[in-house]
Amino acid sequence: MRLRTLNIEGFRSFGEKTKIDFSKETVFIGGNGSGKTTALVALSKLFSPNSSDRIIEKSDFYVDSTDTADSEKHFYIEAVFELDNALNESDDKANAEYWSKLLITDGQSKPILKVRLEATWTAQGGIDGTVDWNTYFNESPDESKIDDKDKILAKRSQLSSIQFIYIPASRNPERQLSSASEGLISKLIREVNWNRETKEKINQISKELNEAFWNEKGSKSIQECISKEWADLGAGSRFSQAKASVSSIDLDRLIRRIQFEFRSNVTDNVFTVDEMSDGVKSLFYISNMVSILKLEQGLATEDNPILNVEKPMLTIFALEEPENHISPNLLGKVINKIKELNHLINVQTVLTSHSPSIVKRVAPENIRFFHLKSKKLKIVSEVNNISLPVGEDERYKFVSRAVQVFPELYFSKLVILGEGESEKIILSRLISIYPELNENEISIVPLAGRMVTSIWDLLESLNIKYITLLDLDYGRYLGGEVRIKYIIEELRLRNKESEKLNKIGEELNALNDTNKEKLIELTIQLQDYGVFFSSPLDVDFMMLQSYKKQYISITNSKPRTNEKSKILDRALKGKRMEKPDYSDDEIELMKYYNTIFLGRGKPVNHFLVLQSIEDKDLKDELPIQLNNLIEYAKKQLNIEVEDKKNDQK
């Protein structure tokens, strides 16, 4: 049995119907306030073992600008569970428990179970109004239509076999984490099949301990004094005798007093949990959770179980922001522990995170991206799965690997896609001198290769804005006209009604490939679509054109004095156009380009030169393409753009 989907509408930030898909290992990511915690709280409202967590309040209802003070409000939360066809022990039990509530819907071969919470708030009944809610089994196969006859009231005892363990992103791990783990530990120990002789022995030892402690002359005097003073007050026969105890003689009370001690393998000192740092406390209690869930599944299945434990049909373990308090070098171990839980048949895990260190360890298929969107007069939470290429193995591997190597993509307001380390170094330096850009979440990632359009698809599915900086590669194989044509075709797929793109395509088809200046003019028109070209060759050559003096002096480079054809062969990397129309000045500059950038020191040379240039000089001599890119980035981030007239050449 597993949680397949969670449907929410009208609950807190989920003002519109939202469907959240779950896998065995699900990770929620997104900005602050985007709805990650709300989704977990929604599960708590259905399945938390604590009755206080299931209380519905007025603040749980979504409110938009059109609502009046007396508007009646509604919400529902529906969890959809799926049973496997090849029923394991857990699903077999679930099938027996819920058989009358299971559904087989069209196109769905596996039985499903729907648990639905419906709540209504009305203004009548007090200052805060009145809230009514009920939890049902929903037997309607039609998601769009649910009649009262389809709803069967769900008793809490029926839902208790679905265990939801939720550890919020608290800044007090001792209070939040320990309350969850100690409660489960105590529960587990109570379920031990205690031998009768063991119980008697514990009671006898407790009794002897008390007698030895209080028979000491000094402690005995304290005991007698306390008893006498209490008796003088005459509190009543029921509580007439007061006797201090250092150890409970009742096994249940003894269990509640269990504490952990830790011994140092260096100093041999003994420490309690209270003496740990917050990070170590978090690690310890997370390890407790893993231990308990493993024990619940493993020991309960033995022929002669040592625990009287009723294994849950499903345990959903939800942990918010495991990176809190824990150093980055230990996060890998934490994730590995969580992954161990997913090997258990009846356990699912849900994590929320803002940490790229965690996200890069998760398969993209298991990530759910949360963000806030504006729609008319509403601001609501939206949840998206990660969009990966389907049916194209090479593209699928590229995108899935890319987002694991560059997980900062997910946490960005704007992504600038470049072709390599050169773009990353150059653009990072540029953004640093524009405070209005530097304070925004901008990621620069080298993913603008031949599969860049798959990255476009991914970012569009997540509603993340992006800019692409490509090399024109004029004269190189598959560069120039070929590269522009490919980009135009991809832009047309995304802007099918664009007359401008059609016109650019027609102009490109009418061109002679050797018309370099006209090609560059066409690339400038594509800047309106967020695509920028480093021209005429690549970003390295373009920077050398603008800052020739600095690159030559800082790198102490000397030009290669080969004849023209060899200079072009080296600069254009072998196979090239027959007659690329580079000017004599450009070919002369390629002598330095070949020396500075076609060796091993390309990123280092960019770094050294850019650090040596003053901010003002960097701005004044900035290539027009990069200047336009900066201004376009400001527009994308709704930053006021300076009114500049640039020479588009």
Side-chain angles (χ1 to χ4, degrees):
M1 182 176 180
R2 74 175 183 91
L3 175 63
R4 191 181 76 180
T5 57
L6 184 67
N7 300 312
I8 311 175
E9 184 175 11
F11 179 67
R12 297 194 180 181
S13 61
F14 290 93
E16 295 183 342
K17 182 178 180 180
T18 304
K19 178 181 178 182
I20 305 173
D21 296 319
F22 286 80
S23 55
K24 183 77 168 168
E25 170 193 25
T26 309
V27 177
F28 293 168
I29 65 172
N32 292 327
S34 58
K36 304 184 298 298
T37 296
T38 298
L40 297 182
V41 171
L43 284 170
S44 287
K45 298 294 184 184
L46 282 170
F47 304 111
S48 175
N50 302 317
S51 58
S52 59
D53 294 337
R54 301 194 302 269
I55 295 173
I56 308 299
E57 299 175 341
K58 180 183 178 181
S59 58
D60 290 324
F61 293 82
Y62 175 79
V63 178
D64 64 32
S65 58
T66 63
D67 288 330
T68 60
D70 58 350
S71 298
E72 189 172 276
K73 300 177 180 63
H74 307 269
F75 78 69
Y76 74 84
I77 302 167
E78 183 173 84
V80 181
F81 298 91
E82 180 180 83
L83 277 69
D84 199 339
N85 283 337
L87 294 174
N88 52 51
E89 179 189 350
S90 175
D91 282 345
D92 198 14
K93 181 180 176 183
N95 193 38
E97 177 77 18
Y98 299 125
W99 70 269
S100 63
K101 319 294 190 306
L102 298 179
L103 296 169
I104 298 290
T105 58
D106 293 340
Q108 177 68 36
S109 60
K110 298 178 181 179
I112 63 172
L113 174 74
K114 298 181 181 180
V115 181
R116 184 183 180 94
L117 167 64
E118 294 182 354
T120 301
W121 176 87
T122 55
Q124 293 78 24
I127 297 176
D128 291 327
T130 302
V131 177
D132 295 302
W133 72 92
N134 280 302
T135 304
Y136 305 95
F137 292 111
N138 175 14
E139 295 189 327
S140 172
D142 186 355
E143 291 187 9
S144 61
K145 184 181 179 182
I146 303 173
D147 296 326
D148 288 341
K149 63 180 177 61
D150 298 318
K151 296 184 289 189
I152 300 175
L153 199 64
K155 298 179 180 178
R156 183 50 46 186
S157 59
Q158 293 175 296
L159 299 178
S160 61
S161 57
I162 299 172
Q163 181 175 230
F164 183 61
I165 302 172
Y166 173 35
I167 304 177
S170 170
R171 299 302 175 188
N172 186 342
E174 181 179 5
R175 178 171 58 85
Q176 294 290 352
L177 288 171
S178 66
S179 63
S181 65
E182 287 179 359
L184 287 173
I185 289 171
S186 297
K187 174 177 175 288
L188 206 60
I189 292 176
R190 287 191 194 95
E191 291 165 344
V192 170
N193 281 322
W194 292 98
N195 184 286
R196 184 173 60 83
E197 293 180 358
T198 302
K199 288 183 178 181
E200 292 176 354
K201 186 176 181 180
I202 291 172
N203 291 339
Q204 181 61 33
I205 291 172
S206 297
K207 184 178 180 181
E208 291 174 359
L209 174 62
N210 273 283
E211 288 177 352
F213 186 92
W214 294 110
N215 283 337
E216 180 66 23
K217 187 175 181 180
S219 58
K220 187 174 184 179
S221 297
I222 295 172
Q223 176 79 274
E224 291 173 349
C225 182
I226 290 173
S227 297
K228 179 181 181 303
E229 295 299 326
W230 175 247
D232 288 348
L233 291 175
S237 59
R238 186 178 181 186
F239 304 106
S240 60
Q241 297 183 29
K243 185 177 181 180
S245 172
V246 294
S247 177
S248 173
I249 59 174
D250 179 80
L251 183 60
D252 286 339
R253 293 178 184 175
L254 195 63
I255 289 171
R256 286 197 290 270
R257 296 181 181 181
I258 291 173
Q259 292 182 339
F260 288 93
E261 291 182 345
F262 304 84
R263 186 176 298 275
S264 170
N265 60 5
V266 178
T267 63
D268 207 39
N269 290 342
V270 176
F271 301 94
T272 65
V273 174
D274 294 339
E275 295 173 279
M276 290 178 165
S277 68
D278 286 347
V280 178
K281 287 176 186 174
S282 294
L283 285 173
F284 174 63
Y285 287 116
I286 289 170
S287 75
N288 278 352
M289 295 293 180
V290 176
S291 301
I292 290 162
L293 293 176
K294 284 183 176 180
L295 284 167
E296 271 190 343
Q297 176 152 312
L299 298 180
T301 57
E302 295 180 354
D303 293 335
N304 296 307
I306 62 175
L307 297 178
N308 292 318
V309 59
E310 184 72 18
K311 186 170 66 176
M313 282 180 273
L314 174 65
T315 296
I316 303 170
F317 176 64
L319 175 61
E320 276 197 296
E321 300 177 18
E323 64 267 22
N324 282 5
H325 313 289
I326 298 175
S327 61
N329 62 304
L330 292 176
L331 286 178
K333 291 185 177 181
V334 172
I335 296 303
N336 287 340
K337 280 294 178 188
I338 303 303
K339 288 180 180 291
E340 287 178 18
L341 291 179
N342 289 310
H343 294 306
L344 303 177
I345 293 174
N346 65 328
V347 176
Q348 276 181 269
T349 61
V350 185
L351 301 181
T352 75
S353 181
H354 294 112
S355 170
S357 296
I358 286 180
V359 174
K360 71 181 181 182
R361 291 178 167 90
V362 180
E365 296 92 333
N366 296 329
I367 292 175
R368 305 294 175 259
F369 183 79
F370 287 66
H371 69 102
L372 293 175
K373 71 171 183 178
S374 299
K375 188 174 182 181
K376 295 182 180 179
L377 298 176
K378 292 183 176 182
I379 298 178
V380 297
S381 291
E382 185 175 76
V383 185
N384 300 104
N385 295 359
I386 301 302
S387 176
L388 296 172
V390 178
E392 296 183 55
D393 187 57
E394 186 181 10
R395 284 184 175 267
Y396 169 82
K397 288 180 179 178
F398 170 76
V399 176
S400 60
R401 181 61 181 156
V403 295
Q404 287 182 305
V405 174
F406 303 103
E408 61 267 29
L409 284 174
Y410 297 121
F411 305 101
S412 306
K413 287 184 180 178
L414 175 68
V415 174
I416 303 178
L417 300 166
E419 293 206 23
E421 286 300 312
S422 291
E423 285 84 354
K424 190 166 186 177
I425 292 170
I426 293 165
L427 291 170
S428 296
R429 173 74 173 96
L430 284 179
I431 288 173
S432 71
I433 63 177
Y434 291 91
E436 64 272 34
L437 290 178
N438 203 29
E439 65 188 19
N440 280 280
E441 295 93 344
I442 299 176
S443 293
I444 304 163
V445 293
L447 294 175
R450 62 188 181 88
M451 297 184 189
V452 67
T453 55
S454 294
I455 303 298
W456 290 359
D457 293 337
L458 169 68
L459 294 173
E460 287 174 7
S461 72
L462 302 178
N463 290 297
I464 297 174
K465 297 178 180 179
Y466 61 90
I467 299 172
T468 307
L469 178 61
L470 300 167
D471 293 337
L472 181 57
D473 284 339
Y474 176 73
R476 287 176 176 161
Y477 180 62
L478 296 180
E481 180 184 7
V482 176
R483 174 158 287 197
I484 298 173
K485 186 174 291 185
Y486 168 69
I487 291 298
I488 290 175
E489 289 173 355
E490 290 296 330
L491 289 173
R492 277 175 169 169
L493 294 175
R494 292 164 171 76
N495 304 271
K496 294 183 179 179
E497 305 299 322
S498 174
E499 289 295 327
K500 182 174 181 177
L501 279 174
N502 293 334
K503 184 179 178 182
I504 296 173
E506 292 170 1
E507 290 183 42
L508 181 65
N509 291 332
L511 270 185
N512 182 326
D513 189 47
T514 59
N515 191 336
K516 174 165 61 72
E517 297 306 319
K518 184 62 177 176
L519 279 178
I520 293 174
E521 288 181 15
L522 293 179
T523 65
I524 290 174
Q525 294 183 55
L526 294 176
Q527 293 177 4
D528 291 340
Y529 301 91
V531 179
F532 295 76
F533 282 88
S534 298
S535 59
L537 190 58
D538 55 23
V539 73
D540 308 311
F541 190 78
M542 187 171 71
M543 292 295 287
L544 182 58
Q545 283 181 309
S546 291
Y547 308 100
K548 175 182 176 181
K549 179 180 177 182
Q550 291 92 331
Y551 274 96
I552 292 175
S553 63
I554 296 296
T555 61
N556 293 316
S557 63
K558 292 181 173 54
R560 292 178 178 269
T561 57
N562 307 85
E563 59 268 24
K564 177 179 177 180
S565 62
K566 288 187 177 180
I567 293 170
L568 284 172
D569 282 343
R570 181 166 171 78
L572 303 182
K573 300 177 182 177
K575 190 173 182 180
R576 58 182 174 86
M577 290 170 52
E578 283 293 321
K579 296 180 181 180
D581 57 334
Y582 280 101
S583 68
D584 290 340
D585 289 342
E586 289 170 331
I587 293 173
E588 185 67 23
L589 196 60
M590 284 180 186
K591 296 177 181 179
Y592 291 97
Y593 170 85
N594 291 341
T595 304
I596 298 171
F597 296 120
L598 299 188
R600 296 181 179 178
K602 182 194 294 189
V604 174
N605 288 336
H606 279 305
F607 181 80
L608 292 174
V609 172
L610 290 170
Q611 294 306 309
S612 71
I613 303 175
E614 296 292 334
D615 292 355
K616 182 180 183 304
D617 295 335
L618 190 61
K619 285 184 178 181
D620 290 345
E621 301 300 324
L622 193 63
I624 184 62
Q625 292 89 338
L626 295 184
N627 185 79
N628 291 350
L629 186 151
I630 292 294
E631 298 305 311
Y632 187 88
K634 292 178 183 179
K635 288 182 181 178
Q636 293 298 295
L637 296 169
N638 297 317
I639 298 171
E640 186 176 349
V641 180
E642 295 177 3
D643 183 18
K644 293 184 178 180
K645 294 182 179 179
N646 297 305
D647 182 16
Q648 304 284 330
K649 291 185 180 179

